Amino acid sequence: MDFTGADALDGDRIATALGDAPEELSPAAARSVATTLLADAAFSEPYCEWMPVWYEIGLLAPVRYADWRLRRVAGAVADASDATVTAPRFSRPRDVRIDGDPALAGVSGFCERFLLADALLHLEWFVHVATADGIAVPDDLVARTRRESLAYYAGTRDRLSPDVRRFQALLFSDDAWVRRVDTAYDLDSRLFGLWERLLATERRRLEST
Protein backbone atom coordinates (compact mmCIF):
# COMPACT_ATOMS: atom_id res chain seq x y z
CA MET A 1 0.00 0.00 0.00
CA ASP A 2 3.10 2.26 -0.04
CA PHE A 3 2.54 3.58 3.47
CA THR A 4 5.10 6.12 4.68
CA GLY A 5 7.60 4.55 7.06
CA ALA A 6 7.05 0.97 5.94
CA ASP A 7 10.80 0.50 5.31
CA ALA A 8 12.01 2.07 8.55
CA LEU A 9 12.62 -1.28 10.26
CA ASP A 10 14.38 -4.30 8.76
CA GLY A 11 12.17 -7.24 9.70
CA ASP A 12 14.70 -9.91 8.72
CA ARG A 13 17.44 -8.35 10.82
CA ILE A 14 15.11 -7.98 13.78
CA ALA A 15 14.06 -11.63 13.50
CA THR A 16 17.72 -12.72 13.47
CA ALA A 17 18.57 -10.52 16.45
CA LEU A 18 15.52 -11.78 18.32
CA GLY A 19 16.81 -15.32 17.97
CA ASP A 20 20.47 -14.58 18.68
CA ALA A 21 20.51 -11.78 21.24
CA PRO A 22 17.09 -10.30 22.07
CA GLU A 23 18.58 -8.17 24.84
CA GLU A 24 20.53 -6.25 22.19
CA LEU A 25 17.50 -5.08 20.22
CA SER A 26 17.26 -1.34 19.77
CA PRO A 27 14.33 0.36 21.55
CA ALA A 28 12.52 0.75 18.21
CA ALA A 29 13.01 -2.91 17.30
CA ALA A 30 12.04 -4.06 20.80
CA ARG A 31 8.91 -1.90 20.64
CA SER A 32 8.01 -3.47 17.29
CA VAL A 33 8.48 -7.03 18.56
CA ALA A 34 6.77 -6.52 21.91
CA THR A 35 3.83 -4.65 20.40
CA THR A 36 3.30 -7.41 17.83
CA LEU A 37 3.38 -10.06 20.55
CA LEU A 38 0.93 -8.11 22.71
CA ALA A 39 -1.38 -7.61 19.74
CA ASP A 40 -1.23 -11.35 18.99
CA ALA A 41 -1.94 -12.09 22.66
CA ALA A 42 -4.99 -9.82 22.76
CA PHE A 43 -6.37 -10.87 19.38
CA SER A 44 -7.81 -14.34 19.86
CA GLU A 45 -10.26 -13.99 22.75
CA PRO A 46 -12.23 -11.11 21.14
CA TYR A 47 -12.11 -13.04 17.86
CA CYS A 48 -13.72 -16.01 19.54
CA GLU A 49 -16.65 -13.84 20.60
CA TRP A 50 -17.48 -13.27 16.93
CA MET A 51 -17.67 -17.00 16.32
CA PRO A 52 -20.33 -19.62 17.15
CA VAL A 53 -20.57 -20.54 20.84
CA TRP A 54 -19.13 -24.05 20.31
CA TYR A 55 -16.00 -22.52 18.78
CA GLU A 56 -15.59 -19.95 21.53
CA ILE A 57 -15.98 -22.51 24.32
CA GLY A 58 -13.64 -24.99 22.66
CA LEU A 59 -10.80 -22.51 22.21
CA LEU A 60 -11.13 -20.33 25.30
CA ALA A 61 -8.68 -22.24 27.51
CA PRO A 62 -5.83 -22.56 24.94
CA VAL A 63 -6.38 -18.95 23.83
CA ARG A 64 -5.98 -17.67 27.39
CA TYR A 65 -2.85 -19.76 27.90
CA ALA A 66 -1.33 -18.41 24.67
CA ASP A 67 -2.27 -14.88 25.79
CA TRP A 68 -0.37 -15.39 29.06
CA ARG A 69 2.72 -16.82 27.35
CA LEU A 70 2.88 -14.10 24.70
CA ARG A 71 2.47 -11.33 27.28
CA ARG A 72 5.35 -12.76 29.32
CA VAL A 73 7.67 -12.79 26.32
CA ALA A 74 6.53 -9.33 25.21
CA GLY A 75 7.22 -7.96 28.67
CA ALA A 76 10.72 -9.46 28.74
CA VAL A 77 11.60 -8.04 25.31
CA ALA A 78 10.28 -4.58 26.20
CA ASP A 79 11.97 -4.50 29.61
CA ALA A 80 15.37 -5.47 28.16
CA SER A 81 15.38 -2.36 25.98
CA ASP A 82 13.28 -0.04 28.17
CA ALA A 83 10.67 0.10 25.41
CA THR A 84 7.16 1.33 26.19
CA VAL A 85 4.45 -0.82 24.62
CA THR A 86 0.69 -1.17 24.78
CA ALA A 87 -1.84 -3.81 23.76
CA PRO A 88 -4.71 -2.93 21.43
CA ARG A 89 -8.36 -3.12 22.39
CA PHE A 90 -10.20 -5.17 19.78
CA SER A 91 -13.85 -4.72 18.89
CA ARG A 92 -16.32 -7.26 20.22
CA PRO A 93 -19.76 -7.90 18.76
CA ARG A 94 -21.47 -5.90 21.51
CA ASP A 95 -19.39 -2.85 20.48
CA VAL A 96 -20.39 -2.82 16.82
CA ARG A 97 -23.54 -1.98 14.94
CA ILE A 98 -24.02 -2.20 11.18
CA ASP A 99 -26.67 0.08 9.69
CA GLY A 100 -28.11 0.40 13.18
CA ASP A 101 -28.42 -3.33 13.80
CA PRO A 102 -26.27 -5.60 16.01
CA ALA A 103 -23.15 -6.64 14.13
CA LEU A 104 -24.09 -10.32 13.86
CA ALA A 105 -27.79 -9.81 13.14
CA GLY A 106 -27.47 -10.59 9.45
CA VAL A 107 -24.57 -13.04 9.62
CA SER A 108 -25.05 -16.79 9.85
CA GLY A 109 -22.69 -19.73 9.66
CA PHE A 110 -19.08 -20.27 10.63
CA CYS A 111 -17.50 -18.98 7.42
CA GLU A 112 -19.43 -15.69 7.35
CA ARG A 113 -18.58 -14.97 10.98
CA PHE A 114 -14.94 -15.91 10.43
CA LEU A 115 -14.53 -13.54 7.49
CA LEU A 116 -16.36 -10.66 9.17
CA ALA A 117 -14.24 -11.03 12.30
CA ASP A 118 -10.98 -11.21 10.34
CA ALA A 119 -11.86 -8.22 8.16
CA LEU A 120 -12.44 -6.07 11.23
CA LEU A 121 -10.00 -7.37 13.86
CA HIS A 122 -7.05 -7.84 11.52
CA LEU A 123 -7.50 -4.22 10.42
CA GLU A 124 -7.40 -3.14 14.07
CA TRP A 125 -4.36 -5.37 14.70
CA PHE A 126 -2.49 -3.95 11.73
CA VAL A 127 -3.15 -0.31 12.57
CA HIS A 128 -1.95 -0.78 16.16
CA VAL A 129 1.24 -2.62 15.16
CA ALA A 130 1.95 -0.30 12.23
CA THR A 131 1.70 2.74 14.50
CA ALA A 132 4.25 1.23 16.88
CA ASP A 133 6.56 0.68 13.89
CA GLY A 134 6.24 4.30 12.78
CA ILE A 135 4.18 3.41 9.71
CA ALA A 136 1.65 6.09 8.76
CA VAL A 137 -1.66 4.46 7.83
CA PRO A 138 -4.04 7.19 6.57
CA ASP A 139 -6.93 7.72 8.97
CA ASP A 140 -9.37 8.12 6.10
CA LEU A 141 -8.39 4.76 4.62
CA VAL A 142 -8.76 3.08 8.01
CA ALA A 143 -12.20 4.60 8.58
CA ARG A 144 -13.42 3.68 5.10
CA THR A 145 -11.99 0.17 5.33
CA ARG A 146 -13.74 -0.41 8.64
CA ARG A 147 -17.06 1.02 7.45
CA GLU A 148 -17.09 -0.69 4.05
CA SER A 149 -15.81 -4.03 5.34
CA LEU A 150 -18.39 -4.27 8.10
CA ALA A 151 -21.20 -3.61 5.64
CA TYR A 152 -19.72 -5.88 2.96
CA TYR A 153 -19.13 -8.91 5.16
CA ALA A 154 -22.47 -8.42 6.89
CA GLY A 155 -24.17 -8.53 3.49
CA THR A 156 -25.49 -4.96 3.35
CA ARG A 157 -22.97 -3.75 0.72
CA ASP A 158 -22.31 -5.50 -2.58
CA ARG A 159 -18.71 -4.40 -3.23
CA LEU A 160 -15.63 -2.77 -1.76
CA SER A 161 -14.02 0.31 -3.27
CA PRO A 162 -10.75 -0.54 -5.09
CA ASP A 163 -8.29 0.71 -2.47
CA VAL A 164 -10.24 -0.92 0.37
CA ARG A 165 -10.40 -4.19 -1.57
CA ARG A 166 -6.63 -4.10 -2.13
CA PHE A 167 -6.00 -3.30 1.54
CA GLN A 168 -8.22 -6.18 2.67
CA ALA A 169 -6.59 -8.57 0.21
CA LEU A 170 -3.25 -7.77 1.85
CA LEU A 171 -4.71 -8.17 5.34
CA PHE A 172 -6.15 -11.56 4.43
CA SER A 173 -2.69 -12.72 3.36
CA ASP A 174 -2.12 -14.00 6.90
CA ASP A 175 -2.89 -17.43 5.45
CA ALA A 176 0.88 -17.59 4.87
CA TRP A 177 1.54 -16.84 8.56
CA VAL A 178 -0.89 -19.58 9.65
CA ARG A 179 0.88 -22.07 7.36
CA ARG A 180 4.33 -21.10 8.68
CA VAL A 181 3.25 -21.50 12.32
CA ASP A 182 1.65 -24.87 11.62
CA THR A 183 4.80 -26.06 9.83
CA ALA A 184 7.33 -24.57 12.26
CA TYR A 185 5.78 -26.27 15.26
CA ASP A 186 4.91 -29.48 13.38
CA LEU A 187 1.28 -29.14 14.47
CA ASP A 188 -0.45 -30.69 11.47
CA SER A 189 -3.55 -28.98 12.89
CA ARG A 190 -6.91 -29.40 11.20
CA LEU A 191 -8.00 -26.10 12.72
CA PHE A 192 -4.95 -24.28 11.33
CA GLY A 193 -5.61 -25.95 8.00
CA LEU A 194 -9.19 -24.64 8.04
CA TRP A 195 -8.03 -21.13 8.91
CA GLU A 196 -5.49 -21.21 6.11
CA ARG A 197 -8.02 -22.36 3.51
CA LEU A 198 -10.60 -19.74 4.46
CA LEU A 199 -8.07 -16.92 4.49
CA ALA A 200 -6.39 -17.98 1.24
CA THR A 201 -9.70 -18.40 -0.56
CA GLU A 202 -10.86 -14.94 0.48
CA ARG A 203 -7.50 -13.35 -0.36
CA ARG A 204 -7.53 -14.84 -3.85
CA ARG A 205 -11.14 -13.79 -4.38
CA LEU A 206 -10.35 -10.20 -3.39
CA GLU A 207 -7.27 -10.16 -5.61
CA SER A 208 -9.25 -11.34 -8.63
CA THR A 209 -12.20 -8.94 -8.41
Side-chain angles (χ1 to χ4, degrees):
M1 297 295 291
D2 298 322
F3 295 141
T4 302
D7 299 325
L9 294 174
D10 187 328
D12 291 336
R13 290 184 64 183
I14 291 174
T16 299
L18 185 61
D20 294 342
E23 70 281 358
E24 297 180 7
L25 289 170
S26 69
R31 182 172 58 250
S32 175
V33 171
T35 299
T36 300
L37 292 172
L38 284 179
D40 285 348
F43 183 87
S44 295
E45 189 165 337
Y47 201 107
C48 285
E49 290 193 21
W50 289 85
M51 304 304 292
V53 173
W54 60 264
Y55 182 98
E56 181 179 2
I57 292 174
L59 287 184
L60 191 57
V63 157
R64 287 181 173 173
Y65 176 71
D67 183 319
W68 175 74
R69 288 290 302 272
L70 287 168
R71 287 179 185 275
R72 285 189 64 192
V73 176
V77 170
D79 290 345
S81 298
D82 292 325
T84 300
V85 296
T86 60
R89 180 185 180 277
F90 291 106
S91 296
R92 299 175 187 251
R94 64 176 178 270
D95 304 323
V96 180
R97 300 187 75 82
I98 302 173
D99 293 340
D101 295 322
L104 295 174
V107 181
S108 62
F110 177 89
C111 183
E112 289 185 7
R113 286 180 177 232
F114 182 92
L115 295 178
L116 173 60
D118 196 82
L120 174 60
L121 271 61
H122 199 176
L123 171 67
E124 295 176 343
W125 181 97
F126 176 80
V127 171
H128 185 84
V129 172
T131 300
D133 285 357
I135 298 172
V137 186
D139 291 340
D140 174 67
L141 176 62
V142 173
R144 286 191 299 108
T145 300
R146 179 185 177 92
R147 183 175 62 253
E148 290 186 22
S149 299
L150 283 170
Y152 181 71
Y153 287 101
T156 63
R157 181 186 177 97
D158 63 359
R159 68 185 63 187
L160 299 171
S161 56
D163 55 347
V164 170
R165 185 177 67 247
R166 181 178 175 226
F167 193 12
Q168 278 293 4
L170 292 168
L171 292 174
F172 272 101
S173 66
D174 53 350
D175 63 292
W177 175 86
V178 171
R179 182 170 59 255
R180 287 197 300 270
V181 171
D182 194 43
T183 301
Y185 291 96
D186 197 24
L187 299 175
D188 193 24
S189 167
R190 290 185 179 181
L191 184 59
F192 272 56
L194 174 61
W195 293 343
E196 181 186 349
R197 288 193 299 275
L198 291 175
L199 293 167
T201 297
E202 185 61 12
R203 172 180 54 78
R204 288 191 291 264
R205 193 185 66 79
L206 290 168
E207 290 171 343
S208 66
T209 55

